[in-house]
Coordinates of all heavy atoms in Angstrom, one line a residue:
M1 N -67.2 106.5 4.8 CA -67.3 105.1 5.3 C -68.2 104.2 4.4 O -69.3 104.7 4.0 CB -67.9 105.1 6.7 CG -67.0 105.6 7.7 SD -66.6 104.5 9.1 CE -68.3 104.0 9.5
S2 N -67.7 103.1 4.1 CA -68.5 102.2 3.2 C -68.8 101.0 4.1 O -68.0 100.6 4.9 CB -67.9 101.9 1.9 OG -66.7 101.2 2.2
I3 N -70.0 100.4 3.8 CA -70.3 99.1 4.5 C -69.7 97.9 3.8 O -69.9 97.8 2.5 CB -71.8 99.0 4.6 CG1 -72.4 100.2 5.3 CG2 -72.2 97.6 5.2 CD1 -73.9 100.2 5.2
K4 N -68.8 97.1 4.4 CA -68.3 96.1 3.7 C -69.3 94.9 3.6 O -70.0 94.6 4.5 CB -67.1 95.5 4.6 CG -65.8 96.2 4.5 CD -64.8 95.4 5.3 CE -63.5 96.2 5.5 NZ -62.6 95.6 6.5
P5 N -69.4 94.3 2.4 CA -70.2 93.2 2.2 C -69.7 92.0 3.0 O -68.5 91.8 3.0 CB -70.2 92.9 0.7 CG -68.9 93.5 0.2 CD -68.6 94.6 1.1
I6 N -70.6 91.3 3.6 CA -70.1 90.1 4.4 C -71.0 89.0 4.0 O -72.2 89.1 3.8 CB -70.3 90.4 5.9 CG1 -69.4 91.4 6.4 CG2 -70.1 89.1 6.7 CD1 -67.9 91.0 6.4
R7 N -70.3 87.8 3.7 CA -71.0 86.6 3.3 C -70.7 85.5 4.4 O -69.7 85.6 5.0 CB -70.6 86.1 2.0 CG -71.0 87.1 0.9 CD -72.5 87.1 0.7 NE -72.8 88.1 -0.5 CZ -73.0 89.4 -0.3 NH1 -73.0 89.9 0.9 NH2 -73.4 90.2 -1.3
T8 N -71.6 84.6 4.5 CA -71.4 83.5 5.5 C -71.2 82.2 4.8 O -72.0 81.8 4.0 CB -72.6 83.4 6.5 OG1 -72.8 84.7 7.1 CG2 -72.4 82.4 7.6
C9 N -70.1 81.5 5.2 CA -69.8 80.2 4.6 C -71.0 79.2 5.0 O -71.4 79.2 6.2 CB -68.6 79.6 5.1 SG -68.1 77.9 4.6
I10 N -71.6 78.5 4.1 CA -72.7 77.6 4.4 C -72.2 76.4 5.2 O -73.1 75.6 5.8 CB -73.5 77.1 3.1 CG1 -72.6 76.3 2.2 CG2 -74.1 78.3 2.4 CD1 -73.4 75.6 1.1
V11 N -70.9 76.1 5.3 CA -70.5 74.9 5.9 C -70.0 75.3 7.4 O -70.6 74.8 8.4 CB -69.3 74.3 5.2 CG1 -68.8 73.1 5.9 CG2 -69.7 73.9 3.8
C12 N -69.1 76.2 7.6 CA -68.6 76.5 8.9 C -69.2 77.8 9.6 O -69.0 78.1 10.7 CB -67.1 76.7 8.8 SG -66.5 78.1 7.9
R13 N -70.1 78.5 8.7 CA -70.8 79.6 9.2 C -69.9 80.8 9.7 O -70.4 81.6 10.4 CB -71.7 79.2 10.5 CG -72.7 78.1 10.2 CD -73.9 78.8 9.5 NE -74.7 77.7 8.8 CZ -75.6 77.9 7.9 NH1 -75.9 79.2 7.5 NH2 -76.3 77.0 7.4
K14 N -68.7 80.8 9.2 CA -67.8 81.9 9.5 C -68.2 83.1 8.5 O -68.4 82.8 7.3 CB -66.4 81.4 9.3 CG -65.5 82.4 10.0 CD -64.1 81.7 9.9 CE -63.0 82.8 10.3 NZ -61.9 82.9 9.4
S15 N -68.2 84.3 9.0 CA -68.5 85.4 8.1 C -67.2 85.9 7.5 O -66.2 86.0 8.2 CB -69.1 86.5 8.9 OG -70.4 86.2 9.3
E16 N -67.3 86.2 6.2 CA -66.1 86.6 5.5 C -66.4 87.7 4.5 O -67.6 87.9 4.1 CB -65.6 85.4 4.7 CG -65.1 84.3 5.5 CD -63.6 84.5 6.0 OE1 -63.1 85.5 5.8 OE2 -63.0 83.4 6.4
S17 N -65.4 88.3 4.0 CA -65.7 89.2 2.8 C -65.8 88.3 1.6 O -65.2 87.2 1.6 CB -64.5 90.1 2.6 OG -63.4 89.5 2.0
P18 N -66.7 88.6 0.6 CA -66.9 87.7 -0.5 C -65.6 87.2 -1.2 O -65.6 86.1 -1.8 CB -67.7 88.6 -1.5 CG -68.4 89.5 -0.6 CD -67.4 89.9 0.5
S19 N -64.5 88.1 -1.2 CA -63.3 87.6 -1.8 C -62.7 86.3 -1.2 O -61.9 85.7 -1.8 CB -62.3 88.8 -1.9 OG -61.9 89.1 -0.6
A20 N -63.0 86.1 0.0 CA -62.4 84.9 0.7 C -63.2 83.6 0.4 O -62.8 82.5 0.8 CB -62.4 85.1 2.2
L21 N -64.4 83.8 -0.2 CA -65.3 82.6 -0.5 C -65.6 82.4 -2.0 O -65.3 83.3 -2.8 CB -66.6 82.9 0.3 CG -66.5 83.2 1.8 CD1 -67.9 83.7 2.3 CD2 -66.1 82.0 2.6
I22 N -66.0 81.2 -2.2 CA -66.4 80.9 -3.6 C -68.0 81.1 -3.6 O -68.7 80.6 -2.7 CB -66.1 79.5 -4.0 CG1 -64.7 79.2 -3.8 CG2 -66.6 79.1 -5.4 CD1 -64.3 77.7 -3.9
R23 N -68.5 81.7 -4.6 CA -70.0 81.8 -4.8 C -70.5 80.6 -5.7 O -69.8 80.4 -6.7 CB -70.4 83.1 -5.4 CG -71.9 83.3 -5.5 CD -72.3 84.7 -6.0 NE -73.7 84.8 -5.8 CZ -74.6 84.7 -6.8 NH1 -74.3 84.4 -8.1 NH2 -75.9 84.9 -6.6
L24 N -71.4 80.0 -5.3 CA -72.1 78.9 -6.0 C -73.5 79.3 -6.3 O -74.2 79.9 -5.5 CB -72.1 77.7 -5.2 CG -70.7 77.2 -4.8 CD1 -70.8 76.1 -3.7 CD2 -69.8 76.7 -5.9
T25 N -73.9 78.9 -7.5 CA -75.4 79.0 -7.9 C -75.9 77.8 -8.3 O -75.2 76.8 -8.7 CB -75.5 80.1 -9.0 OG1 -74.7 79.7 -10.2 CG2 -75.0 81.5 -8.7
L26 N -77.3 77.6 -8.3 CA -78.0 76.4 -8.7 C -78.5 76.7 -10.1 O -79.4 77.6 -10.2 CB -79.0 76.1 -7.7 CG -79.6 74.7 -7.9 CD1 -78.6 73.7 -7.6 CD2 -80.8 74.6 -7.0
I27 N -78.1 76.0 -11.1 CA -78.6 76.2 -12.4 C -79.0 74.8 -13.0 O -78.2 73.9 -13.1 CB -77.6 76.8 -13.3 CG1 -77.1 78.2 -12.8 CG2 -78.1 76.9 -14.8 CD1 -76.0 78.9 -13.6
D28 N -80.3 74.7 -13.3 CA -80.8 73.4 -13.8 C -80.4 72.3 -12.8 O -80.2 71.2 -13.3 CB -80.4 73.2 -15.2 CG -80.9 74.1 -16.3 OD1 -82.0 74.7 -15.9 OD2 -80.3 74.3 -17.3
G29 N -80.6 72.4 -11.6 CA -80.3 71.4 -10.7 C -78.9 71.0 -10.3 O -78.5 70.1 -9.7
K30 N -78.0 71.8 -11.0 CA -76.5 71.7 -10.8 C -76.0 72.8 -10.0 O -76.3 74.0 -10.2 CB -75.9 71.6 -12.1 CG -76.2 70.4 -13.0 CD -75.5 70.4 -14.3 CE -75.6 69.2 -15.1 NZ -74.8 69.1 -16.3
V31 N -75.1 72.4 -9.1 CA -74.3 73.5 -8.3 C -73.1 73.9 -9.2 O -72.3 73.1 -9.6 CB -73.8 72.9 -7.0 CG1 -72.9 73.9 -6.2 CG2 -74.9 72.4 -6.1
I32 N -73.1 75.2 -9.5 CA -72.1 75.8 -10.5 C -71.3 76.8 -9.8 O -71.9 77.8 -9.1 CB -72.8 76.4 -11.7 CG1 -73.9 75.5 -12.3 CG2 -71.8 76.9 -12.7 CD1 -73.2 74.3 -13.1
P33 N -70.0 76.7 -9.7 CA -69.2 77.8 -9.2 C -69.3 79.0 -10.1 O -69.1 79.0 -11.2 CB -67.7 77.2 -9.3 CG -67.9 75.7 -9.5 CD -69.2 75.6 -10.2
D34 N -69.6 80.2 -9.4 CA -69.9 81.5 -10.0 C -68.6 82.3 -9.8 O -68.6 83.1 -8.9 CB -71.1 82.1 -9.5 CG -71.3 83.5 -10.1 OD1 -70.9 83.7 -11.2 OD2 -72.0 84.2 -9.5
L35 N -67.5 82.1 -10.6 CA -66.3 82.7 -10.3 C -66.2 84.2 -10.7 O -65.5 84.9 -9.9 CB -65.1 81.9 -11.1 CG -65.0 80.5 -10.8 CD1 -64.0 79.8 -11.7 CD2 -64.9 80.2 -9.4
K36 N -67.0 84.6 -11.6 CA -67.0 86.0 -11.9 C -68.0 86.8 -11.1 O -67.9 88.0 -11.1 CB -67.3 86.2 -13.4 CG -66.2 85.7 -14.3 CD -66.5 85.8 -15.8 CE -65.5 85.2 -16.6 NZ -66.0 84.8 -17.9
G37 N -68.9 86.1 -10.5 CA -69.9 86.8 -9.6 C -71.0 87.2 -10.6 O -70.9 87.3 -11.9
G38 N -72.2 87.5 -10.1 CA -73.3 88.1 -10.8 C -74.1 87.1 -11.6 O -75.0 87.5 -12.4
A39 N -73.9 85.7 -11.4 CA -74.7 84.8 -12.1 C -76.1 84.9 -11.4 O -76.2 85.2 -10.2 CB -74.2 83.4 -12.0
P40 N -77.1 84.7 -12.2 CA -78.5 84.9 -11.6 C -78.8 83.7 -10.7 O -78.2 82.7 -10.7 CB -79.4 84.7 -12.9 CG -78.6 84.0 -13.8 CD -77.2 84.3 -13.6
G41 N -79.9 84.0 -9.9 CA -80.3 82.9 -9.1 C -79.8 83.1 -7.7 O -79.0 83.9 -7.3
R42 N -80.3 82.2 -6.8 CA -79.8 82.1 -5.4 C -78.4 81.8 -5.3 O -77.9 80.8 -5.9 CB -80.7 81.2 -4.6 CG -80.2 80.8 -3.2 CD -81.1 79.8 -2.6 NE -82.4 80.3 -2.3 CZ -82.8 81.1 -1.2 NH1 -81.9 81.1 -0.3 NH2 -84.0 81.5 -1.1
G43 N -77.6 82.5 -4.5 CA -76.2 82.1 -4.3 C -75.9 81.5 -3.0 O -76.6 81.8 -2.0
A44 N -75.0 80.6 -3.0 CA -74.4 80.1 -1.7 C -73.0 80.3 -1.7 O -72.3 80.3 -2.7 CB -74.8 78.6 -1.6
W45 N -72.4 80.6 -0.4 CA -71.0 81.0 -0.4 C -70.3 79.9 0.6 O -70.9 79.5 1.6 CB -70.8 82.3 0.2 CG -71.5 83.4 -0.7 CD1 -72.8 83.7 -0.8 CD2 -70.8 84.4 -1.5 NE1 -72.9 84.8 -1.6 CE2 -71.7 85.1 -2.1 CE3 -69.4 84.5 -1.8 CZ2 -71.4 86.2 -3.0 CZ3 -69.0 85.6 -2.7 CH2 -70.1 86.3 -3.3
L46 N -69.1 79.6 0.2 CA -68.3 78.8 1.0 C -66.8 78.9 0.8 O -66.4 79.5 -0.2 CB -68.7 77.3 0.9 CG -68.8 76.6 -0.4 CD1 -67.6 76.5 -1.1 CD2 -69.4 75.2 -0.2
H47 N -66.0 78.5 1.8 CA -64.6 78.5 1.6 C -64.2 77.3 0.7 O -64.9 76.3 0.8 CB -63.9 78.2 2.9 CG -64.1 79.3 4.0 ND1 -65.0 79.2 5.0 CD2 -63.4 80.4 4.1 CE1 -64.9 80.3 5.8 NE2 -63.9 81.1 5.2
R48 N -63.2 77.5 -0.1 CA -62.8 76.4 -1.0 C -62.5 75.2 -0.2 O -62.8 74.0 -0.5 CB -61.6 76.9 -1.7 CG -61.2 75.9 -2.7 CD -60.1 76.3 -3.6 NE -60.0 75.4 -4.7 CZ -59.9 75.7 -6.0 NH1 -59.9 76.9 -6.4 NH2 -59.9 74.8 -7.0
D49 N -61.9 75.4 1.0 CA -61.5 74.3 1.9 C -62.7 73.6 2.5 O -62.6 72.6 3.1 CB -60.6 74.7 3.0 CG -59.2 75.1 2.5 OD1 -58.9 74.7 1.3 OD2 -58.4 75.7 3.2
C50 N -63.8 74.2 2.5 CA -65.1 73.7 3.1 C -65.9 73.0 1.9 O -66.9 72.3 2.4 CB -65.9 74.8 3.6 SG -65.3 75.5 5.2
A51 N -65.6 73.1 0.8 CA -66.4 72.5 -0.3 C -66.6 71.1 -0.2 O -67.6 70.4 -0.4 CB -65.7 72.9 -1.7
E52 N -65.5 70.3 0.2 CA -65.6 68.8 0.2 C -66.5 68.5 1.4 O -67.3 67.5 1.3 CB -64.2 68.2 0.5 CG -63.5 68.1 -0.9 CD -62.3 67.2 -0.8 OE1 -62.2 66.3 0.0 OE2 -61.3 67.4 -1.6
S53 N -66.5 69.1 2.5 CA -67.4 68.9 3.6 C -68.8 69.1 3.1 O -69.8 68.4 3.6 CB -67.1 69.8 4.8 OG -65.8 69.6 5.2
A54 N -69.1 70.2 2.4 CA -70.4 70.5 1.9 C -70.9 69.4 1.1 O -72.1 69.0 1.1 CB -70.3 71.9 1.1
I55 N -70.1 68.9 0.2 CA -70.5 67.7 -0.7 C -70.8 66.6 0.2 O -71.9 65.9 -0.1 CB -69.4 67.5 -1.7 CG1 -69.2 68.6 -2.7 CG2 -69.7 66.1 -2.5 CD1 -67.9 68.6 -3.5
Q56 N -69.9 66.2 1.1 CA -70.2 65.0 1.9 C -71.4 65.1 2.8 O -72.1 64.2 3.0 CB -69.0 64.8 2.8 CG -67.8 64.2 2.0 CD -66.5 64.3 2.8 OE1 -66.5 64.7 4.0 NE2 -65.4 64.1 2.2
R57 N -71.7 66.3 3.3 CA -72.8 66.5 4.2 C -74.1 66.8 3.4 O -75.2 66.8 4.0 CB -72.6 67.7 5.1 CG -71.5 67.6 6.1 CD -71.4 68.8 7.0 NE -70.2 69.1 7.5 CZ -69.8 70.1 8.3 NH1 -70.8 71.0 8.5 NH2 -68.7 70.3 8.8
G58 N -74.0 67.0 2.1 CA -75.3 67.4 1.4 C -75.7 68.8 1.8 O -76.9 69.0 1.7
S59 N -74.8 69.7 2.0 CA -75.2 71.0 2.5 C -76.0 71.8 1.4 O -76.7 72.7 1.7 CB -74.0 71.8 2.9 OG -73.2 71.2 3.9
F60 N -75.8 71.5 0.1 CA -76.4 72.3 -0.9 C -77.9 72.1 -0.9 O -78.6 73.0 -1.3 CB -75.7 72.0 -2.3 CG -74.2 72.2 -2.2 CD1 -73.4 71.2 -2.4 CD2 -73.8 73.5 -2.1 CE1 -72.0 71.4 -2.3 CE2 -72.4 73.8 -2.1 CZ -71.5 72.7 -2.2
K61 N -78.3 70.9 -0.6 CA -79.8 70.7 -0.5 C -80.4 71.8 0.4 O -81.5 72.3 0.0 CB -80.0 69.3 0.0 CG -81.4 68.9 0.1 CD -81.6 67.5 0.7 CE -82.8 67.3 1.4 NZ -82.9 65.9 2.0
F62 N -79.8 72.0 1.5 CA -80.4 73.0 2.4 C -80.2 74.4 2.0 O -81.0 75.3 2.0 CB -79.8 72.8 3.8 CG -80.1 71.4 4.3 CD1 -79.1 70.4 4.3 CD2 -81.3 71.0 4.8 CE1 -79.3 69.1 4.7 CE2 -81.6 69.7 5.2 CZ -80.6 68.8 5.2
A63 N -78.9 74.7 1.5 CA -78.6 76.0 1.1 C -79.4 76.5 -0.1 O -79.8 77.7 -0.1 CB -77.0 76.1 0.6
F64 N -79.8 75.6 -0.9 CA -80.6 76.0 -2.1 C -82.1 75.6 -1.9 O -82.8 75.7 -2.9 CB -80.0 75.4 -3.4 CG -78.7 75.9 -3.8 CD1 -77.6 75.2 -3.8 CD2 -78.7 77.3 -4.2 CE1 -76.3 75.7 -4.1 CE2 -77.4 77.8 -4.5 CZ -76.2 77.1 -4.6
K65 N -82.4 75.2 -0.7 CA -83.8 74.8 -0.4 C -84.4 73.8 -1.4 O -85.4 74.0 -2.0 CB -84.7 76.1 -0.3 CG -84.1 77.0 0.7 CD -85.3 78.1 1.0 CE -84.8 79.2 1.8 NZ -83.9 79.0 2.9
Q66 N -83.6 72.7 -1.7 CA -84.0 71.7 -2.6 C -84.6 70.5 -1.8 O -84.3 70.3 -0.8 CB -82.8 71.3 -3.5 CG -82.2 72.3 -4.3 CD -83.2 72.9 -5.3 OE1 -83.5 72.2 -6.2 NE2 -83.5 74.1 -5.1
V67 N -85.4 69.7 -2.6 CA -86.0 68.5 -2.0 C -85.0 67.4 -1.9 O -84.9 66.7 -1.0 CB -87.2 68.1 -2.8 CG1 -87.8 66.9 -2.3 CG2 -88.3 69.3 -2.8
K68 N -84.2 67.4 -3.0 CA -83.1 66.4 -3.0 C -81.7 67.0 -3.3 O -81.8 68.2 -3.7 CB -83.5 65.3 -4.1 CG -83.7 65.9 -5.4 CD -84.0 64.7 -6.4 CE -84.1 65.3 -7.9 NZ -84.2 64.3 -8.9
N69 N -80.7 66.2 -3.1 CA -79.4 66.8 -3.3 C -79.1 67.3 -4.8 O -79.4 66.4 -5.6 CB -78.4 65.8 -2.9 CG -78.1 65.7 -1.4 OD1 -78.2 66.7 -0.8 ND2 -78.0 64.5 -0.9
P70 N -78.7 68.4 -4.9 CA -78.4 68.9 -6.3 C -77.1 68.1 -6.9 O -76.4 67.6 -6.1 CB -78.1 70.3 -6.2 CG -78.4 70.8 -4.8 CD -78.5 69.5 -4.0
D71 N -77.0 68.3 -8.1 CA -75.8 67.7 -8.9 C -74.5 68.5 -8.6 O -74.5 69.6 -8.9 CB -76.1 67.6 -10.4 CG -75.0 66.9 -11.2 OD1 -73.9 66.8 -10.6 OD2 -75.3 66.7 -12.4
V72 N -73.6 67.8 -8.0 CA -72.3 68.6 -7.7 C -71.2 68.2 -8.5 O -70.0 68.6 -8.2 CB -71.9 68.3 -6.1 CG1 -73.0 68.9 -5.2 CG2 -71.7 66.9 -5.9
S73 N -71.5 67.5 -9.7 CA -70.4 67.1 -10.6 C -69.5 68.3 -11.1 O -68.3 68.3 -11.2 CB -70.9 66.3 -11.6 OG -71.8 67.0 -12.4
E74 N -70.2 69.5 -11.4 CA -69.5 70.6 -11.8 C -68.5 71.2 -10.8 O -67.4 71.7 -11.0 CB -70.5 71.7 -12.2 CG -71.3 71.4 -13.4 CD -70.7 71.8 -14.8 OE1 -69.6 72.4 -14.7 OE2 -71.2 71.2 -15.8
L75 N -69.0 71.2 -9.5 CA -68.2 71.6 -8.4 C -67.0 70.7 -8.2 O -65.9 71.2 -8.0 CB -69.0 71.7 -7.2 CG -68.3 72.2 -5.9 CD1 -67.6 73.5 -6.1 CD2 -69.2 72.1 -4.6
I76 N -67.3 69.4 -8.3 CA -66.2 68.4 -8.2 C -65.1 68.6 -9.3 O -63.9 68.6 -9.0 CB -66.7 67.0 -8.1 CG1 -67.5 66.8 -6.8 CG2 -65.5 66.0 -8.2 CD1 -68.3 65.5 -6.8
N77 N -65.5 68.8 -10.4 CA -64.6 69.2 -11.5 C -63.8 70.4 -11.2 O -62.6 70.4 -11.4 CB -65.3 69.5 -12.8 CG -65.8 68.2 -13.5 OD1 -65.4 67.1 -13.2 ND2 -66.8 68.3 -14.4
F78 N -64.5 71.4 -10.7 CA -63.8 72.7 -10.4 C -62.8 72.4 -9.3 O -61.7 73.0 -9.4 CB -64.8 73.7 -9.9 CG -64.3 74.9 -9.2 CD1 -63.6 75.8 -10.0 CD2 -64.4 75.1 -7.9 CE1 -63.1 77.0 -9.4 CE2 -63.8 76.2 -7.3 CZ -63.2 77.2 -8.0
L79 N -63.1 71.7 -8.3 CA -62.2 71.5 -7.2 C -61.0 70.6 -7.7 O -59.9 70.7 -7.1 CB -62.9 70.7 -6.1 CG -64.0 71.5 -5.4 CD1 -64.7 70.6 -4.4 CD2 -63.4 72.7 -4.6
G80 N -61.2 69.8 -8.7 CA -60.1 69.0 -9.2 C -59.1 69.8 -10.0 O -57.9 69.4 -10.2
N81 N -59.5 70.9 -10.5 CA -58.6 71.8 -11.3 C -58.0 72.9 -10.5 O -58.1 74.1 -10.8 CB -59.5 72.5 -12.4 CG -60.1 71.5 -13.4 OD1 -59.5 70.4 -13.7 ND2 -61.2 71.9 -13.9
K82 N -57.3 72.5 -9.5 CA -56.6 73.4 -8.6 C -55.4 74.1 -9.3 O -54.7 73.4 -10.0 CB -56.2 72.8 -7.3 CG -57.4 72.6 -6.4 CD -57.0 71.9 -5.1 CE -58.1 71.6 -4.3 NZ -57.8 71.0 -3.0
Ligands
ZN1 ZN1 -66.1 77.5 5.7

């Protein structure tokens, strides 16, 4: 028996296996999609469908424990390239 890794979406709080979620990291104040996994730093996980809500609500500020909202332009670019 192996223990399945479980991550929680920062927007809807649903628990999922990591493959169902996008991992985001904060690098130099920017929210960066970590598609390959393993990027350094604190990670935040969310559903792709939850990403727009996260941007609108400013969820990354809390997820990454920032004083102000991080730059989400890289994430918006990523979401635009469906
Ligand atoms: Zn979600």
Side-chain angles (χ1 to χ4, degrees):
M1 290 232 314
S2 61
I3 300 167
K4 279 189 192 167
I6 293 292
R7 298 291 181 268
T8 304
C9 173
I10 62 167
V11 179
C12 67
R13 299 283 166 194
K14 201 173 165 226
S15 295
E16 296 276 12
S17 75
S19 61
L21 302 171
I22 302 168
R23 182 175 191 258
L24 302 168
T25 55
L26 188 70
I27 300 171
D28 292 336
K30 291 183 177 183
V31 178
I32 308 288
D34 177 22
L35 301 180
K36 292 176 186 163
R42 173 182 288 274
W45 298 77
L46 48 67
H47 295 103
R48 186 172 192 132
D49 290 347
C50 288
E52 281 191 29
S53 300
I55 293 166
Q56 285 166 11
R57 294 186 203 174
S59 300
F60 300 114
K61 179 178 153 185
F62 302 101
F64 291 114
K65 301 193 192 316
Q66 298 296 294
V67 176
K68 55 182 184 170
N69 280 320
D71 181 347
V72 293
S73 56
E74 295 272 347
L75 177 59
I76 290 169
N77 283 344
F78 168 74
L79 294 171
N81 295 331
K82 285 184 185 175

